[in-house]
Amino acid sequence: NAGVMQNPRHLVRRRGQEARLRCSPMKGHSHVYWYRQLPEEGLKFMVYLQKENIIDESGMPKERFSAEFPKEGPSILRIQQVVRGDSAAYFCASSPRGATNEKLFFGSGTQLSVL
Amino acid sequence: KQEVTQIPAALSVPEGENLVLNCSFTDSAIYNLQWFRQDPGKGLTSLLLIQSSQREQTSGRLNASLDKSSGRSTLYIAASQPGDSATYLCAVKKEGSGNTGKLIFGQGTTLQVKP
């Protein structure tokens, strides 16, 4: 049973380009969460999605960032017009039902570097 | 506002020692607390999940305790091994966050176990 799969592992972008980060949850999981880990900071919640729905995006920056989790395919975190401050590790997690007492299972992350 | 603090930030011990990692949180209204392990360049591995009604959880050489009223948790590692070297993160799920999966993380304790 494969775990949470994220790709790419490393992504390099120049300022102003777009970054697309992909996350496939564990088999049987329909709830996806995105977290960001900035250098020298802890992980911070960004967004919570179920299939075709954004449930909580309270941690997402208001501009340039968007997320989706379509009916088919992986969840995508999209960052438009990247800036150096977007350089971070982006982690995706999933859970089976989104229940309060469930563990979250994390992927290996995508390290985004903005030149 | 919920804040999670982990002390110490870094710890170095000789192989075989028993050790304790500390986690404190400012708001005792939590659903649960989870301990993770993060290896360099890799994702998070869930170690133990303690529900708010529980006092401790054990898995192998690991034991995590929770004192919700005082806002503290400890992770006890028995007979440490070099393979235990990693960053250990604790995270709480705040009451009222419903099923959003919004975890609030500490900054982590980086453990080095010397052979």
Side-chain angles (χ1 to χ4, degrees):
Chain A
N1 184 15
V4 177
M5 304 299 292
Q6 290 189 249
N7 66 83
R9 289 296 308 276
H10 301 276
L11 182 61
V12 179
R13 285 287 177 265
R14 296 191 181 280
R15 281 180 298 170
Q17 291 184 320
E18 178 179 286
R20 278 181 178 248
L21 289 64
R22 287 177 290 278
C23 168
S24 296
M26 284 181 73
K27 187 176 179 181
H29 289 194
S30 57
H31 298 255
V32 165
Y33 315 84
W34 286 93
Y35 283 77
R36 176 165 69 171
Q37 188 173 36
L38 290 164
E40 308 303 325
E41 292 189 23
L43 278 91
K44 297 282 195 288
F45 169 84
M46 298 182 76
V47 62
Y48 162 45
L49 310 104
Q50 294 179 36
K51 287 281 187 181
E52 300 184 278
N53 286 303
I54 296 175
I55 307 302
D56 182 348
E57 56 182 349
S58 58
M60 287 276 272
K62 298 292 181 228
E63 298 178 348
R64 302 187 297 107
F65 284 72
S66 62
E68 62 176 12
F69 189 15
K71 189 175 179 182
E72 301 292 336
S75 175
I76 306 287
L77 179 67
R78 182 181 176 209
I79 311 172
Q80 294 177 290
Q81 299 174 333
V82 296
V83 301
R84 289 218 173 102
D86 297 332
S87 296
Y90 291 82
F91 290 95
C92 169
S94 72
S95 68
R97 296 173 302 279
T100 300
N101 62 352
E102 282 181 344
K103 278 185 186 180
L104 266 60
F105 294 86
F106 281 78
S108 297
T110 292
Q111 181 65 51
L112 172 65
S113 299
V114 180
L115 304 179
Chain B
K1 181 188 170 188
Q2 178 71 275
E3 292 182 359
V4 180
T5 304
Q6 290 186 247
I7 294 173
L11 183 61
S12 181
V13 300
E15 182 177 4
E17 268 202 12
N18 303 325
L19 59 101
V20 175
L21 306 181
N22 297 292
C23 172
S24 61
F25 45 97
T26 54
D27 186 345
S28 61
I30 63 169
Y31 283 127
N32 56 50
L33 182 145
Q34 198 165 350
W35 282 93
F36 293 89
R37 169 186 172 138
Q38 184 176 24
D39 292 280
K42 296 189 179 177
L44 281 69
T45 302
S46 178
L47 298 173
L48 292 163
L49 171 68
I50 313 177
Q51 304 297 345
S52 62
S53 58
Q54 297 174 323
R55 297 286 293 184
E56 65 177 343
Q57 285 285 328
T58 297
S59 175
R61 294 182 294 109
L62 305 179
N63 175 278
S65 69
L66 175 64
D67 184 341
K68 187 180 159 185
S69 60
S70 67
R72 288 187 292 187
S73 175
T74 61
L75 178 67
Y76 175 82
I77 303 177
S80 58
Q81 303 170 357
D84 295 330
S85 298
T87 296
Y88 291 81
L89 300 166
C90 77
V92 300
K93 183 178 282 190
K94 194 173 116 177
E95 276 185 16
S97 57
N99 62 346
T100 66
K102 187 186 295 184
L103 300 180
I104 300 168
F105 281 85
Q107 298 270 63
T109 293
T110 299
L111 172 65
Q112 182 185 34
V113 181
K114 298 177 183 175

